[in-house]
Amino acid sequence: MTGKALLFINGMPPQILPALEAYFLIACTDGAFHYLKNKNFPLEKLDFISGDFDSHSGNDENIYQEKFIYTPDQDKTDFEKALEILMQRGAPEVDVYGGSGGEMDHFLGNLTVAFKAKDALKITFFDEFGTYFFSPKNLVLENVQHCKISLYPFPFTENVTSVGLNWPLKKENLNLTSRIGTRNFAVEDHVKITFENGDLLVFHSHRPAAEL
């Protein structure tokens, strides 16, 4: 099977759960299992729960034991190991909830994991503010007028051009140590972003810029 997967990891719990019918595979790390229980998530919908289980406790092992995948490798994070399982099961794309919030080193670590996996797996993070992801070299965003769009080089992006943003870029270079492209916003419904070399992290707020 192939299609879009859904993964919950141990960051800030989502305020609203996504529509589960959009996914062919649903999983969580052991730490996220806690907040899913608290949100009355239908745990029977989980295809697997992975991790070293240092964050998990309770009696649910008895009910969902066949869904648990023990991944004790301490050289990788639970997020990284969960992505490897998803790729093994044929998922080319994954929506991730719980990637931000809490301790900032955890958030930065999740970005690094996504960066390493970006060529094999399309990863989109969701949180209470919006979405963020590593951009392809040709990106089109639809229905984004008035929304905040931030462009963040990781660590550099060359010849960036944007159409539809309040402060457009025309074949300009972004660099983590000199110039970044955060806190911009869309003035059109249709925004196009292209670049030639490097990597670009795009943050797309789902709320109008005036509310931020």
Side-chain angles (χ1 to χ4, degrees):
M1 293 187 298
T2 59
K4 184 183 289 189
L6 172 64
L7 177 64
F8 297 95
I9 61 178
N10 191 21
M12 182 179 293
Q15 295 184 354
I16 300 175
L17 294 173
L20 302 183
E21 60 271 15
Y23 303 96
F24 90 102
L25 197 159
I26 303 172
C28 73
T29 59
D30 59 340
F33 193 68
H34 291 299
Y35 68 68
L36 291 179
K37 287 194 297 182
N38 293 335
K39 285 184 168 290
N40 295 316
F41 182 89
L43 299 175
E44 68 278 2
K45 297 287 188 180
L46 292 170
D47 290 281
F48 69 84
I49 305 109
S50 68
D52 52 22
F53 298 101
D54 58 352
S55 301
H56 180 76
S57 62
N59 296 321
D60 295 287
E61 292 96 333
N62 298 326
I63 303 174
Y64 299 105
Q65 187 174 11
E66 76 284 355
K67 296 177 183 284
F68 282 22
I69 299 177
Y70 182 54
T71 54
D73 185 354
Q74 294 301 310
D75 292 329
K76 298 179 181 179
T77 66
D78 285 349
F79 177 35
E80 188 171 4
K81 290 179 282 189
L83 291 181
E84 290 176 350
I85 296 170
L86 290 174
M87 287 187 283
Q88 290 168 3
R89 298 195 177 190
E93 183 175 353
V94 57
D95 290 346
V96 178
Y97 287 74
S100 58
E103 298 178 354
M104 290 306 297
D105 59 341
H106 186 261
F107 168 63
L108 292 173
N110 289 336
L111 290 181
T112 302
V113 168
F115 176 76
K116 291 192 295 183
K118 65 181 176 60
D119 293 331
L121 190 62
K122 181 181 178 182
I123 302 169
T124 304
F125 292 94
F126 290 76
D127 63 21
E128 63 176 309
F129 301 103
T131 63
Y132 51 101
F133 52 89
F134 284 98
S135 175
K137 290 184 177 179
N138 292 277
L139 174 68
V140 175
L141 299 173
E142 301 282 4
N143 302 316
V144 294
Q145 189 171 19
H146 306 307
C147 290
K148 179 170 67 69
I149 307 291
S150 286
L151 308 181
Y152 192 83
F154 205 88
F156 70 90
T157 320
E158 295 178 339
N159 292 327
V160 184
T161 296
S162 65
V163 177
L165 296 181
N166 188 60
W167 294 286
L169 298 172
K170 296 180 180 180
K171 289 192 172 294
E172 299 178 46
N173 295 334
L174 301 179
N175 191 296
L176 189 58
T177 60
S178 58
R179 184 190 184 193
I180 59 176
T182 58
R183 314 304 290 184
N184 210 331
F185 66 92
V187 292
E188 300 177 11
D189 254 0
H190 179 98
V191 167
K192 183 176 182 180
I193 299 165
T194 62
F195 63 93
E196 293 184 5
N197 299 301
D199 291 285
L200 185 67
L201 191 60
V202 174
F203 293 82
H204 165 214
S205 173
H206 293 164
R207 291 183 291 171
E211 295 180 7
L212 300 172

